[in-house]
Amino acid sequence: AVLDSPRYFRLLVRLEHFAEAPPRRRPPQAAAQERLAIAGRRALERVSAKVLKLGRRLDASDEVPAPKDLHRLRIHAKRLRYLLEFLRQLTGKPGRRFVKRLVRLQDLLGAHQDAIVATDFVRRYAETIDPTSTPQVSRAVDALLDHEARLAEQARAAFHRSWQSFTQKRTLADLREIQQRLRKQRDGRPAKGKNR
C-alpha cells in the first residue's frame, strides 16, 4: 500500500530530479560527507554494539544458542552489514575487511534460519498428509524433516567457533579504525592513507 501511495511517488520524483540535477544544485561533497559521517558513526556505534553484546552473551553461554536468539543476532548483523555497505566510501579498506568477516558469520546464521524455516514448513506439510497415503510419502517427509533439523543443529553447534573467528583482534581493530575514519570525516578531515 505504501509503495502505491502518492507520497512514495512524490519521493521517487524528487529523487529522480536530485539525481539529474546539475552539480551546482547538489550539496557540496565535503558537507554531504560530513553529515553522512556523523549519522553513520552514530548508527554504527548503536548497531555494532547490539551485535557484539548479543553475540558475546550467546558465546559466553555453555549451552547451544536458542534459534530465536540466533535469528535476532542475524537481523542485527544484517543491519550492520547494510550500514557498512552504505558507508563503504567513507570506511575504506577496514570497512571492506570487516564486511567480509561479517558475511561469513551471516552465512552461518542464514543457513541456520533457512533450516529452521524449512523444518517448520515440512512439519506443517506433514500435518496435512492423509494417513492413508503411501508409506513412501511419510518416509520421504520424515527424511526431509530430519535433514533440515540436522542442518539447523549443525549450524547452532558451529556458532561458537564462527563467533570466535568473527571477533578476532583484527576484526575489532578494523571496527575501531572505521569509527576513527568516520570521526575524521565528521571533523572535516578526510581519512588519510592508501587504504581509502
Side-chain angles (χ1 to χ4, degrees):
V2 171
L3 297 178
D4 290 332
S5 71
R7 182 177 178 209
Y8 181 70
F9 181 74
R10 284 192 306 273
L11 172 66
L12 292 178
V13 170
R14 286 181 183 159
L15 287 173
E16 187 176 314
H17 287 280
F18 175 78
E20 293 173 352
R24 62 178 163 43
R25 289 187 54 203
R26 293 183 185 169
Q29 186 72 12
Q33 282 187 342
E34 183 179 332
R35 287 192 296 272
L36 184 60
I38 291 169
R41 185 168 161 263
R42 287 179 189 149
L44 178 66
E45 287 174 354
R46 191 173 52 253
V47 177
S48 64
K50 286 180 182 180
V51 169
L52 293 173
K53 181 180 178 180
L54 180 56
R56 285 176 179 148
R57 184 176 60 78
L58 295 176
D59 187 50
S61 173
D62 292 334
E63 298 178 19
V64 175
K68 65 180 173 80
D69 291 332
L70 289 178
H71 182 57
R72 208 168 79 212
L73 178 60
R74 176 178 171 259
I75 290 169
H76 291 308
K78 191 187 304 189
R79 288 178 183 155
L80 179 57
R81 178 182 174 187
Y82 291 162
L83 175 62
L84 286 168
E85 287 175 345
F86 180 75
L87 296 170
R88 77 175 157 253
Q89 287 184 317
L90 300 177
T91 62
K93 194 171 182 179
R96 290 190 299 274
R97 285 191 307 249
F98 190 91
V99 167
K100 189 175 180 181
R101 292 184 191 105
L102 186 58
V103 165
R104 287 188 212 125
L105 177 65
Q106 269 189 285
D107 286 347
L108 175 80
L109 296 172
H112 173 263
Q113 185 63 22
D114 290 348
I116 291 294
V117 169
T119 301
D120 186 47
F121 178 79
V122 173
R123 236 185 230 123
R124 282 183 284 143
Y125 173 74
E127 293 170 359
T128 67
I129 295 176
D130 182 2
T132 61
S133 66
T134 63
Q136 292 89 346
V137 172
S138 291
R139 281 197 299 270
V141 168
D142 288 345
L144 182 57
L145 191 58
D146 288 344
H147 173 72
E148 293 298 335
R150 192 170 40 257
L151 289 176
E153 185 59 37
Q154 288 170 350
R156 268 196 307 278
F159 168 73
H160 294 291
R161 185 177 65 247
S162 183
W163 181 256
Q164 291 299 317
S165 176
F166 173 68
T167 56
Q168 60 184 312
K169 286 182 181 180
R170 184 71 224 171
T171 304
L172 299 177
D174 281 340
L175 180 58
R176 286 189 298 274
E177 174 68 20
I178 291 165
Q179 291 169 331
Q180 185 177 3
R181 283 171 175 256
L182 292 174
R183 194 174 298 115
K184 287 179 182 177
Q185 288 287 333
R186 179 200 67 199
D187 297 339
R189 300 181 316 232
K192 294 181 182 177
K194 62 181 180 182
N195 294 337
R196 290 189 80 187

